[in-house]
Amino acid sequence: MSVVAVANQKGGVGKTTTTVNLAAASAEAGRRTLVIDADAQANATSALGAQPQGAFLYDALLGQTQLQSCIVSTSWPGLDAVPSSMDLVAAEIELAAHSRREYVLRGALTEVAGSYDLVLIDCGPSLGLMTLNALAAADAAIAPVQCEYLALEGLSALLETIRRVQVHLNPGLHLLGVVATMYDGRTRLSQDVATQLKAHFSAMFDTIIPRSIRLSEAPSHQRPIIDYAPRSRGAEAYRELADELLNRLSDLPPSTLYRDGALDGVAR
């Protein structure tokens, strides 16, 4: 099981769109895939049309139920989800006194190790405790960045957070790459930002996600783009990005995060 956190503390850069559509493309390629909605806004839950069965991620993190009990199927074959709710806002406060507060999500994920090939965690727009939980639970992280200059400004803070997590919480975490999103090739701005990303980040993904009306419409229909508009530019881009992601994951050393006893001795 490979676990990937989709993170960027800036809102509106395409984290949820990337999570949902990468997951659908992964499932289309035959991988058993799980999306964990770790954002209290629950946009990934809505975009996937995931109908909660009474339990949310919040309940699993607080120990009120097991993560397995929160998992619901989506309309896309091979793709499941752990839904979120506004209650997740309170989780950071309620977990503050937990002795291993940064590892609660990792502990919950041990319940489903072996059930999925790929787990994608949709992080909220912050670098708070929930994002730290996602990064501590992940083998790798990817960072969507909107092709605008303001989106570049917060990227250094995210990269510094990832570095600190690697040092203090999860030495096995890899930055898998930066993904340029909402690219409009007709504008000089998008071209300049994409050029800067390529110049400064060797881990930049080759696939660039275009700005697309179809991508914007798909969540309102609670369907991934490869179902809503399977031949659109956005659908093809996410299929290509999924191929890149899976290839990069295959190049990583074998993960030890979810082996028996992997949490034993973790610093408190």
Side-chain angles (χ1 to χ4, degrees):
M1 182 174 77
S2 295
V3 181
V4 177
V6 183
N8 190 328
Q9 77 277 14
K10 190 177 187 307
V13 299
K15 290 187 297 295
T16 298
T17 298
T18 295
T19 302
V20 166
N21 291 300
L22 270 180
S26 167
E28 183 183 53
R31 271 81 172 180
R32 298 166 301 168
T33 305
L34 177 67
V35 167
I36 294 182
D37 191 347
D39 183 359
Q41 297 177 82
N43 289 331
T45 301
S46 175
L48 286 169
Q51 300 297 324
Q53 304 298 313
F56 298 87
L57 178 62
Y58 168 87
D59 301 300
L61 295 178
L62 271 293
Q64 297 171 4
T65 188
Q66 292 193 329
L67 188 69
Q68 186 68 51
S69 301
C70 304
I71 295 174
V72 297
S73 300
T74 71
S75 59
W76 193 247
L79 176 56
D80 295 338
V82 174
S84 184
S85 68
M86 283 301 295
D87 287 340
L88 202 60
V89 171
E92 298 209 9
I93 299 172
E94 297 184 53
L95 291 174
H98 195 287
S99 61
R100 291 183 172 183
R101 56 186 174 272
E102 295 92 352
Y103 297 101
V104 175
L105 179 56
R106 190 200 292 190
L109 273 170
T110 59
E111 301 168 17
V112 299
S115 298
Y116 295 96
D117 301 308
L118 178 64
V119 176
L120 289 163
I121 307 173
D122 185 30
C123 299
S126 77
L127 294 177
L129 183 56
M130 283 311 306
T131 297
L132 289 179
N133 261 263
L135 294 173
D139 301 297
I142 62 174
V145 178
Q146 184 181 3
C147 286
E148 294 186 359
Y149 280 117
L150 289 178
L152 289 173
E153 292 184 354
L155 189 56
S156 59
L158 173 64
L159 299 180
E160 176 59 19
T161 297
I162 289 174
R163 188 193 68 78
R164 289 174 181 267
V165 169
Q166 290 169 328
V167 172
H168 299 290
L169 300 176
N170 182 5
L173 178 67
H174 299 266
L175 176 60
L176 213 57
V178 175
V179 183
T181 64
M182 304 181 199
Y183 177 82
D184 186 345
R186 300 169 299 178
T187 68
R188 181 66 176 271
L189 176 60
S190 282
Q191 295 173 18
D192 287 349
V193 172
T195 298
Q196 286 197 31
L197 285 171
K198 289 180 180 178
H200 290 92
F201 300 100
S202 58
M204 175 89 173
F205 281 95
D206 294 329
T207 304
I208 294 177
I209 306 302
R211 186 176 291 278
S212 164
I213 296 298
R214 294 295 192 190
L215 277 172
S216 300
E217 292 173 345
S220 67
H221 295 270
Q222 299 187 326
R223 296 158 66 189
I225 188 64
I226 60 176
D227 181 29
Y228 177 68
R231 297 291 173 259
S232 65
R233 291 187 305 134
E236 293 301 334
Y238 274 111
R239 286 190 181 99
E240 292 173 8
L241 182 61
D243 286 342
E244 271 197 88
L245 173 71
L246 295 170
N247 285 334
R248 293 192 184 194
L249 285 171
S250 69
D251 291 336
L252 296 183
S255 172
T256 60
L257 289 185
Y258 297 97
R259 292 180 182 172
D260 291 341
L263 277 174
D264 293 346
V266 169
R268 292 175 180 266

